[in-house]
mmCIF file of all heavy atoms in Angstrom:
data_model
loop_
_atom_site.group_PDB
_atom_site.id
_atom_site.type_symbol
_atom_site.label_atom_id
_atom_site.label_comp_id
_atom_site.label_asym_id
_atom_site.label_seq_id
_atom_site.Cartn_x
_atom_site.Cartn_y
_atom_site.Cartn_z
ATOM 1 N N GLN H 3 -8.944 31.020 -11.988
ATOM 2 C CA GLN H 3 -8.618 29.600 -11.781
ATOM 3 C C GLN H 3 -9.847 28.713 -11.849
ATOM 4 O O GLN H 3 -9.710 27.535 -12.120
ATOM 5 C CB GLN H 3 -7.867 29.409 -10.508
ATOM 6 C CG GLN H 3 -6.421 29.815 -10.536
ATOM 7 C CD GLN H 3 -6.256 31.288 -10.166
ATOM 8 O OE1 GLN H 3 -7.275 31.984 -10.008
ATOM 9 N NE2 GLN H 3 -5.056 31.773 -10.073
ATOM 10 N N LEU H 4 -11.048 29.242 -11.559
ATOM 11 C CA LEU H 4 -12.222 28.447 -11.635
ATOM 12 C C LEU H 4 -12.518 27.936 -13.029
ATOM 13 O O LEU H 4 -13.248 26.948 -13.161
ATOM 14 C CB LEU H 4 -13.429 29.198 -11.053
ATOM 15 C CG LEU H 4 -13.488 29.315 -9.498
ATOM 16 C CD1 LEU H 4 -14.698 30.201 -9.124
ATOM 17 C CD2 LEU H 4 -13.557 27.969 -8.854
ATOM 18 N N ASN H 5 -11.951 28.592 -14.044
ATOM 19 C CA ASN H 5 -12.178 28.184 -15.390
ATOM 20 C C ASN H 5 -11.525 26.829 -15.668
ATOM 21 O O ASN H 5 -11.861 26.135 -16.631
ATOM 22 C CB ASN H 5 -11.646 29.245 -16.351
ATOM 23 C CG ASN H 5 -12.400 30.530 -16.301
ATOM 24 O OD1 ASN H 5 -13.611 30.520 -16.013
ATOM 25 N ND2 ASN H 5 -11.708 31.671 -16.563
ATOM 26 N N LEU H 6 -10.566 26.472 -14.798
ATOM 27 C CA LEU H 6 -9.854 25.167 -14.936
ATOM 28 C C LEU H 6 -10.752 24.032 -14.459
ATOM 29 O O LEU H 6 -10.480 22.866 -14.799
ATOM 30 C CB LEU H 6 -8.545 25.181 -14.130
ATOM 31 C CG LEU H 6 -7.473 26.134 -14.532
ATOM 32 C CD1 LEU H 6 -6.356 26.120 -13.488
ATOM 33 C CD2 LEU H 6 -6.916 25.769 -15.913
ATOM 34 N N ILE H 7 -11.792 24.333 -13.661
ATOM 35 C CA ILE H 7 -12.547 23.301 -13.033
ATOM 36 C C ILE H 7 -13.716 22.935 -13.950
ATOM 37 O O ILE H 7 -14.567 23.784 -14.251
ATOM 38 C CB ILE H 7 -13.083 23.723 -11.680
ATOM 39 C CG1 ILE H 7 -11.924 24.185 -10.803
ATOM 40 C CG2 ILE H 7 -13.867 22.646 -10.984
ATOM 41 C CD1 ILE H 7 -12.309 24.775 -9.490
ATOM 42 N N PRO H 8 -13.794 21.669 -14.405
ATOM 43 C CA PRO H 8 -14.942 21.260 -15.213
ATOM 44 C C PRO H 8 -16.261 21.467 -14.525
ATOM 45 O O PRO H 8 -16.362 21.304 -13.318
ATOM 46 C CB PRO H 8 -14.618 19.760 -15.449
ATOM 47 C CG PRO H 8 -13.200 19.584 -15.259
ATOM 48 C CD PRO H 8 -12.855 20.586 -14.213
ATOM 49 N N VAL H 11 -17.533 18.849 -12.173
ATOM 50 C CA VAL H 11 -16.938 18.750 -10.848
ATOM 51 C C VAL H 11 -17.563 19.791 -9.908
ATOM 52 O O VAL H 11 -17.848 19.455 -8.720
ATOM 53 C CB VAL H 11 -15.420 19.017 -10.961
ATOM 54 C CG1 VAL H 11 -14.759 19.091 -9.537
ATOM 55 C CG2 VAL H 11 -14.745 17.957 -11.784
ATOM 56 N N LEU H 15 -19.633 18.949 -6.487
ATOM 57 C CA LEU H 15 -19.309 19.519 -5.179
ATOM 58 C C LEU H 15 -20.511 20.250 -4.587
ATOM 59 O O LEU H 15 -20.802 20.154 -3.370
ATOM 60 C CB LEU H 15 -18.150 20.464 -5.311
ATOM 61 C CG LEU H 15 -16.808 19.814 -5.655
ATOM 62 C CD1 LEU H 15 -15.793 20.879 -5.981
ATOM 63 C CD2 LEU H 15 -16.304 18.918 -4.534
ATOM 64 N N THR H 27 -14.475 12.020 -9.603
ATOM 65 C CA THR H 27 -14.338 13.413 -9.110
ATOM 66 C C THR H 27 -13.023 13.574 -8.363
ATOM 67 O O THR H 27 -12.322 14.571 -8.501
ATOM 68 C CB THR H 27 -15.512 13.752 -8.183
ATOM 69 O OG1 THR H 27 -16.728 13.593 -8.884
ATOM 70 C CG2 THR H 27 -15.433 15.231 -7.709
ATOM 71 N N LEU H 28 -12.639 12.570 -7.577
ATOM 72 C CA LEU H 28 -11.357 12.610 -6.862
ATOM 73 C C LEU H 28 -10.193 12.641 -7.875
ATOM 74 O O LEU H 28 -9.212 13.366 -7.690
ATOM 75 C CB LEU H 28 -11.230 11.402 -5.973
ATOM 76 C CG LEU H 28 -12.201 11.314 -4.815
ATOM 77 C CD1 LEU H 28 -11.974 9.997 -4.023
ATOM 78 C CD2 LEU H 28 -12.058 12.482 -3.828
ATOM 79 N N LYS H 29 -10.328 11.857 -8.946
ATOM 80 C CA LYS H 29 -9.270 11.870 -9.996
ATOM 81 C C LYS H 29 -9.214 13.236 -10.650
ATOM 82 O O LYS H 29 -8.089 13.719 -11.012
ATOM 83 C CB LYS H 29 -9.574 10.783 -11.002
ATOM 84 C CG LYS H 29 -9.356 9.373 -10.464
ATOM 85 C CD LYS H 29 -9.690 8.345 -11.524
ATOM 86 C CE LYS H 29 -9.549 6.898 -10.955
ATOM 87 N NZ LYS H 29 -9.919 5.863 -11.936
ATOM 88 N N MET H 30 -10.320 13.900 -10.887
ATOM 89 C CA MET H 30 -10.369 15.195 -11.504
ATOM 90 C C MET H 30 -9.638 16.257 -10.609
ATOM 91 O O MET H 30 -8.925 17.074 -11.079
ATOM 92 C CB MET H 30 -11.783 15.612 -11.828
ATOM 93 C CG MET H 30 -11.886 16.908 -12.619
ATOM 94 S SD MET H 30 -11.040 16.827 -14.261
ATOM 95 C CE MET H 30 -12.074 15.632 -15.083
ATOM 96 N N LEU H 31 -9.866 16.150 -9.287
ATOM 97 C CA LEU H 31 -9.206 17.021 -8.375
ATOM 98 C C LEU H 31 -7.687 16.832 -8.468
ATOM 99 O O LEU H 31 -6.915 17.806 -8.392
ATOM 100 C CB LEU H 31 -9.693 16.779 -6.896
ATOM 101 C CG LEU H 31 -11.097 17.180 -6.604
ATOM 102 C CD1 LEU H 31 -11.517 16.743 -5.208
ATOM 103 C CD2 LEU H 31 -11.283 18.713 -6.722
ATOM 104 N N GLN H 32 -7.235 15.586 -8.601
ATOM 105 C CA GLN H 32 -5.823 15.324 -8.662
ATOM 106 C C GLN H 32 -5.224 15.823 -10.022
ATOM 107 O O GLN H 32 -4.116 16.298 -10.093
ATOM 108 C CB GLN H 32 -5.542 13.831 -8.497
ATOM 109 C CG GLN H 32 -5.869 13.383 -7.087
ATOM 110 C CD GLN H 32 -5.667 11.886 -6.883
ATOM 111 O OE1 GLN H 32 -4.534 11.397 -6.996
ATOM 112 N NE2 GLN H 32 -6.742 11.166 -6.711
ATOM 113 N N ILE H 33 -6.055 15.789 -11.065
ATOM 114 C CA ILE H 33 -5.636 16.374 -12.307
ATOM 115 C C ILE H 33 -5.451 17.877 -12.230
ATOM 116 O O ILE H 33 -4.484 18.479 -12.709
ATOM 117 C CB ILE H 33 -6.659 16.026 -13.413
ATOM 118 C CG1 ILE H 33 -6.575 14.567 -13.771
ATOM 119 C CG2 ILE H 33 -6.336 16.858 -14.696
ATOM 120 C CD1 ILE H 33 -7.661 14.078 -14.738
ATOM 121 N N LEU H 34 -6.354 18.492 -11.467
ATOM 122 C CA LEU H 34 -6.209 19.978 -11.243
ATOM 123 C C LEU H 34 -4.927 20.261 -10.508
ATOM 124 O O LEU H 34 -4.266 21.254 -10.794
ATOM 125 C CB LEU H 34 -7.421 20.459 -10.433
ATOM 126 C CG LEU H 34 -8.777 20.440 -11.144
ATOM 127 C CD1 LEU H 34 -9.874 20.878 -10.146
ATOM 128 C CD2 LEU H 34 -8.725 21.481 -12.324
ATOM 129 N N ALA H 35 -4.549 19.413 -9.543
ATOM 130 C CA ALA H 35 -3.300 19.614 -8.826
ATOM 131 C C ALA H 35 -2.122 19.529 -9.786
ATOM 132 O O ALA H 35 -1.106 20.242 -9.687
ATOM 133 C CB ALA H 35 -3.163 18.605 -7.733
ATOM 134 N N ARG H 36 -2.167 18.575 -10.718
ATOM 135 C CA ARG H 36 -1.072 18.403 -11.705
ATOM 136 C C ARG H 36 -0.978 19.607 -12.658
ATOM 137 O O ARG H 36 0.032 19.809 -13.298
ATOM 138 C CB ARG H 36 -1.256 17.120 -12.486
ATOM 139 C CG ARG H 36 -1.006 15.840 -11.621
ATOM 140 C CD ARG H 36 -0.776 14.608 -12.460
ATOM 141 N NE ARG H 36 -2.006 14.174 -13.113
ATOM 142 C CZ ARG H 36 -2.907 13.354 -12.582
ATOM 143 N NH1 ARG H 36 -2.683 12.880 -11.362
ATOM 144 N NH2 ARG H 36 -3.935 12.926 -13.279
ATOM 145 N N LEU H 37 -2.074 20.388 -12.760
ATOM 146 C CA LEU H 37 -2.077 21.597 -13.575
ATOM 147 C C LEU H 37 -1.533 22.795 -12.782
ATOM 148 O O LEU H 37 -1.692 23.929 -13.187
ATOM 149 C CB LEU H 37 -3.488 21.860 -14.081
ATOM 150 C CG LEU H 37 -4.018 20.825 -15.104
ATOM 151 C CD1 LEU H 37 -5.475 21.159 -15.391
ATOM 152 C CD2 LEU H 37 -3.198 20.803 -16.384
ATOM 153 N N ASP H 38 -0.992 22.551 -11.598
ATOM 154 C CA ASP H 38 -0.454 23.594 -10.722
ATOM 155 C C ASP H 38 -1.524 24.537 -10.226
ATOM 156 O O ASP H 38 -1.253 25.759 -10.063
ATOM 157 C CB ASP H 38 0.674 24.363 -11.423
ATOM 158 C CG ASP H 38 1.848 23.476 -11.761
ATOM 159 O OD1 ASP H 38 1.966 22.408 -11.117
ATOM 160 O OD2 ASP H 38 2.635 23.824 -12.677
ATOM 161 N N THR H 39 -2.762 24.019 -10.016
ATOM 162 C CA THR H 39 -3.775 24.853 -9.436
ATOM 163 C C THR H 39 -3.392 25.242 -8.021
ATOM 164 O O THR H 39 -2.861 24.367 -7.266
ATOM 165 C CB THR H 39 -5.094 24.071 -9.386
ATOM 166 O OG1 THR H 39 -5.423 23.668 -10.731
ATOM 167 C CG2 THR H 39 -6.215 24.896 -8.834
ATOM 168 N N PRO H 40 -3.546 26.486 -7.620
ATOM 169 C CA PRO H 40 -3.093 26.876 -6.255
ATOM 170 C C PRO H 40 -3.758 26.034 -5.235
ATOM 171 O O PRO H 40 -4.907 25.696 -5.279
ATOM 172 C CB PRO H 40 -3.659 28.364 -6.172
ATOM 173 C CG PRO H 40 -3.661 28.811 -7.606
ATOM 174 C CD PRO H 40 -4.077 27.628 -8.371
ATOM 175 N N LEU H 43 -7.043 27.084 -3.576
ATOM 176 C CA LEU H 43 -8.284 26.767 -4.277
ATOM 177 C C LEU H 43 -8.657 25.305 -4.138
ATOM 178 O O LEU H 43 -9.804 24.952 -3.918
ATOM 179 C CB LEU H 43 -8.083 27.112 -5.789
ATOM 180 C CG LEU H 43 -9.245 26.735 -6.747
ATOM 181 C CD1 LEU H 43 -10.568 27.373 -6.190
ATOM 182 C CD2 LEU H 43 -8.984 27.175 -8.131
ATOM 183 N N LEU H 44 -7.648 24.441 -4.216
ATOM 184 C CA LEU H 44 -7.927 23.003 -4.019
ATOM 185 C C LEU H 44 -8.446 22.751 -2.616
ATOM 186 O O LEU H 44 -9.348 21.970 -2.456
ATOM 187 C CB LEU H 44 -6.609 22.221 -4.269
ATOM 188 C CG LEU H 44 -6.076 22.211 -5.688
ATOM 189 C CD1 LEU H 44 -4.687 21.572 -5.706
ATOM 190 C CD2 LEU H 44 -6.989 21.526 -6.662
ATOM 191 N N LEU H 47 -12.014 23.654 -2.358
ATOM 192 C CA LEU H 47 -12.862 22.588 -2.934
ATOM 193 C C LEU H 47 -13.086 21.423 -1.993
ATOM 194 O O LEU H 47 -14.183 20.920 -1.883
ATOM 195 C CB LEU H 47 -12.272 22.116 -4.265
ATOM 196 C CG LEU H 47 -12.159 23.155 -5.431
ATOM 197 C CD1 LEU H 47 -11.509 22.573 -6.592
ATOM 198 C CD2 LEU H 47 -13.558 23.676 -5.769
ATOM 199 N N GLN H 86 0.811 18.015 -5.267
ATOM 200 C CA GLN H 86 0.191 16.908 -5.936
ATOM 201 C C GLN H 86 0.137 15.680 -5.075
ATOM 202 O O GLN H 86 -0.853 14.969 -4.985
ATOM 203 C CB GLN H 86 0.958 16.608 -7.227
ATOM 204 C CG GLN H 86 0.944 17.752 -8.270
ATOM 205 C CD GLN H 86 1.815 17.454 -9.445
ATOM 206 O OE1 GLN H 86 1.968 16.300 -9.888
ATOM 207 N NE2 GLN H 86 2.453 18.495 -9.971
ATOM 208 N N LEU H 89 -2.323 15.877 -2.102
ATOM 209 C CA LEU H 89 -3.708 15.616 -2.499
ATOM 210 C C LEU H 89 -3.932 14.156 -2.829
ATOM 211 O O LEU H 89 -4.983 13.633 -2.492
ATOM 212 C CB LEU H 89 -4.094 16.522 -3.683
ATOM 213 C CG LEU H 89 -5.538 16.431 -4.144
ATOM 214 C CD1 LEU H 89 -6.521 16.749 -2.994
ATOM 215 C CD2 LEU H 89 -5.843 17.326 -5.345
#
Side-chain angles (χ1 to χ4, degrees):
Q3 284 87 354
L4 283 177
N5 295 330
L6 295 172
I7 304 175
V11 174
L15 293 172
T27 303
L28 295 176
K29 290 178 181 177
M30 187 60 68
L31 289 173
Q32 292 178 67
I33 290 173
L34 290 173
R36 291 196 289 272
L37 294 173
D38 297 339
T39 303
L43 176 55
L44 294 171
L47 295 177
Q86 294 174 38
L89 184 56

